[in-house]
Amino acid sequence: MVSADRLLAFAAMSFLLIVVPGPSVLFVIGRALAQGRRAALTSVVGNTLGAYVLVLAVALGVGSVVERSVLVFTVLKLAGAAYLVYLGVRAWRTRGVLADAFAADAAGHGGLRTFWEGFAVGVTNPKTIVFFAAVLPQFVDRGQGHVAAQMLLLGLVFNVIAVTCDSVWGLAASTARSWFARSPRRLSLVGGAGGLTMIGLGVTVAVTGRKE
């Protein structure tokens, strides 16, 4: 299996990638600001499982196809970008009724739709696709065999770090949202900010990180 030094080196590199806000982090922050703590944490879970699907793809050999094909990579990237813009527009349009949504948070706001939205962002995150396709295989000791199992273990390490860091971001953002919730006007403003964050993120994903 994976040696301890390879595991620690991969964990350190993963942390450096994850701690810098990217599509996943900004999506969770936008969700926290627009909908609150429960939606943010549900998004984190969905996002993490979406990222692990990418690990499975790399372990099964699909990742190399995505990494080498400009067309496949671009399609995935633009699909994720378009979805982020759609979610941001929806959050912007409903910002005026966020006070009611906030009051209903305790009754179970979030749920399956929020989970799948997070999953969609995680599985189309271009930064994670490139990292898993290009970096993950480098930490596998092929001499030890069980290459797929090693990749799955390394991917699990990445996702444990990701779910921890993203949850911290989400909880911090949702705490700030509580202050805004004392005023309907403040809450409307923060809901709009969350929507604009996701729209801007979608545009950024679409125009950056092109694979030549």
Side-chain angles (χ1 to χ4, degrees):
M1 292 300 288
V2 184
S3 61
D5 58 334
R6 286 174 182 258
L7 200 62
L8 289 174
F10 180 78
M13 184 172 289
S14 298
F15 177 77
L16 291 176
L17 177 80
I18 292 166
V19 76
V20 176
S24 295
V25 170
L26 295 179
F27 176 76
V28 170
I29 291 174
R31 269 291 180 256
L33 292 176
Q35 297 182 7
R37 179 179 303 172
R38 182 174 299 182
L41 295 181
T42 302
S43 296
V44 169
V45 174
N47 194 290
T48 302
L49 290 179
Y52 202 72
V53 168
L54 298 178
V55 176
L56 291 171
V58 172
L60 296 174
V62 180
S64 60
V65 176
V66 175
E67 193 272 333
R68 293 170 186 170
S69 172
V70 175
L71 176 62
V72 174
F73 181 85
T74 302
V75 168
L76 285 173
K77 181 181 71 170
L78 293 180
Y83 195 63
L84 284 168
V85 171
Y86 163 74
L87 294 175
V89 170
R90 193 174 69 182
W92 172 263
R93 293 180 63 183
T94 59
R95 69 191 185 281
V97 296
L98 276 179
D100 295 335
F102 183 85
D105 266 355
H109 187 75
L112 199 57
R113 174 180 289 184
T114 301
F115 170 84
W116 284 115
E117 288 173 349
F119 179 89
V121 172
V123 82
T124 57
N125 185 342
K127 184 173 75 171
T128 308
I129 292 172
V130 172
F131 181 79
F132 285 153
V135 177
L136 181 61
Q138 298 180 29
F139 288 87
V140 172
D141 187 351
R142 299 184 182 277
Q144 296 292 327
H146 306 291
V147 172
Q150 290 186 56
M151 288 187 179
L152 293 176
L153 176 60
L154 291 169
L156 183 61
V157 170
F158 178 95
N159 279 279
V160 168
I161 297 172
V163 75
T164 301
C165 292
D166 290 357
S167 295
V168 170
W169 279 108
L171 290 172
S174 61
T175 298
R177 175 183 180 265
S178 297
W179 179 81
F180 283 98
R182 296 173 190 168
S183 163
R185 179 175 174 78
R186 291 176 187 168
L187 190 57
S188 177
L189 289 173
V190 79
L196 290 175
T197 297
M198 284 185 281
I199 293 172
L201 175 58
V203 173
T204 300
V205 168
V207 301
T208 61
R210 294 187 181 275
K211 185 178 183 298
E212 303 297 341

